[in-house]
Amino acid sequence: MKKLLLIKYAPEIFLKGLNRGKFERRLNDNIKRVLEGTNYSFVSDQGRWFLECEDIEEGIKRVKRVFGVSEICIVTEVAANMEEIQKQALKEIEEIKPATFKVETNRANKSFPGNSMEVSREVGAYILRNSEDLKVSVSKPECIVNVEIRERAYVYSKRIKAVGGMPYGTNGSTMLMLSGGIDSPVAGYMMARRGVELNCVYFHSHPYTSERAKEKVKDLAYILKEYTGRINLYVVPFTEIQMQIIEKCREDELTIIMRRFMMRLACKLAEIHEVNSVTTGESVGQVASQTMEGLVVSNDVADRPVFRPLIAMDKIDIMDISRDIGTYETSILPYEDCCTIFVPKHPKTKPRLDSIRKAEEALDIELLVENAVKGTEVFR
Ligand code: ATP
Ligand code: MG
């Protein structure tokens, strides 16, 4: 009798038709990656793969957050004979103690006597004979005991919900504007969960923002890496741009012009590193620069799709995700980001595109962008 894990893929992967193999291979690679350093092996029986882990709890903990895995079932392998199956099925019920149950059978081994309905009925009858106060419910059982009959038989009723989403690396790439705040790591996580490969960019205003602010962003990228594997973090020197804006533009337009430069630079880096899109942690109405008008004006300089997965979310809900994924504690550390230092007292909340474009004529945009790109540091 052996305990194995049955890993269930997100149903969307099955809709992929001819590409399905590609998605599955990527998912398998990603599962192997998170299991590195543990003792495990894959066991195959008539086309079904099971995972055997020396430390089963550790295996579950790691695999359940691999994007594309929707559920993990803890399976007991027994000999393919009715008596063994019945005994194990009863044991599962005794551990879970439900009020109602049903048995579902999948019989891939056609030499096993009886069809799947008959097997379910026999196993169910055995469970009923050997327990008290237990009822069968076909429509709404509290517990489903699954029986899979192959070369060996596999019995399971414990299911652990996993993260879902799509296998990381199967849906293009994005340049995540990663600040030290709560929102942008969550935005990155949400894109990664849909299979989009993450690259991160952080705009650093040395010496107005400390080395620790930069370290904090690196730490956040490091936490995201737990879900994705290797990530590149581009740290862009932003001080010269901010100084120029302060010198040459009106105070109430500082923020929006600064945001346009961030957008230009994120797009530029995306172009250089062949990244498809840009992602930000913006949420409509959250702060002065995230009004609809502000979003329109900063979007104006983008030359590729800009994704804002948090756009319609409340801060409270974003904070909940941030706690779940483990970035919250780092995000709330009090190191300032560049925006808090150069904040005007009364930023424009309804900037007009034509007047902002006009204001930027005072700046040598191309040169500023070029210098910032030249000074960019990469952390892998
Ligand atoms: P966050 O919690 O992600 O910092 P925020 O609520 O503080 O967001 P803003 O400061 O207006 O909002 O920033 C909006 C978005 O712009 C951020 O979510 C992030 O994607 C990006 N951003 C802001 N500052 C920086 C920075 N210094 N480096 C990289 N991206 C940034
Ligand atoms: Mg911020």
Side-chain angles (χ1 to χ4, degrees), residues 228-240:
T228 62
R230 205 177 104 152
I231 289 183
N232 291 334
L233 168 66
Y234 301 99
V235 176
V236 180
F238 204 56
T239 317
E240 191 195 345

Side-chain angles (χ1 to χ4, degrees), residues 179-184 337 339-340:
S179 67
I182 292 172
D183 303 327
S184 43
D337 65 33
C339 313
T340 52

Side-chain angles (χ1 to χ4, degrees), residues 241-254:
I241 291 176
Q242 287 187 307
M243 288 312 183
Q244 285 285 313
I245 300 174
I246 287 175
E247 197 186 307
K248 304 212 168 117
C249 304
R250 282 172 39 179
E251 197 198 81
D252 62 351
E253 294 178 343
L254 295 185

Side-chain angles (χ1 to χ4, degrees), residues 68-196:
V69 175
S70 68
E71 203 174 64
I72 302 173
C73 309
I74 305 178
V75 173
T76 303
E77 182 201 286
V78 297
N81 72 59
M82 185 47 92
E83 206 178 309
E84 293 286 319
I85 295 170
Q86 286 173 326
K87 270 200 285 189
Q88 181 55 36
L90 179 63
K91 215 166 129 194
E92 302 267 335
I93 289 289
E94 285 170 345
E95 277 166 26
I96 296 179
K97 301 189 179 64
T100 58
F101 80 108
K102 79 169 168 185
V103 180
E104 275 179 7
T105 303
N106 177 317
R107 182 173 146 278
N109 179 349
K110 300 302 175 199
S111 67
F112 193 88
N115 63 28
S116 21
M117 288 281 271
E118 286 160 358
V119 174
S120 296
R121 216 175 301 132
E122 258 186 72
V123 175
Y126 178 86
I127 291 174
L128 285 174
R129 273 201 304 281
N130 290 283
S131 34
E132 282 160 24
D133 300 330
L134 183 63
K135 284 199 181 69
V136 172
S137 163
V138 177
S139 56
K140 254 189 158 182
E142 221 176 275
C143 170
I144 300 176
V145 181
N146 284 86
V147 177
E148 292 220 3
I149 305 169
R150 292 166 188 266
E151 292 286 317
R152 310 269 296 160
Y154 305 87
V155 181
Y156 62 94
S157 53
K158 292 191 197 83
R159 292 170 186 77
I160 295 138
K161 196 171 158 34
V163 62
M166 300 290 286
Y168 184 72
T170 57
N171 269 332
S173 54
T174 202
M175 185 63 73
L176 169 67
M177 292 168 59
L178 182 63
S179 67
I182 292 172
D183 303 327
S184 43
V186 173
Y189 172 86
M190 288 175 72
M191 295 302 284
R193 185 171 173 274
R194 287 303 298 172
V196 180

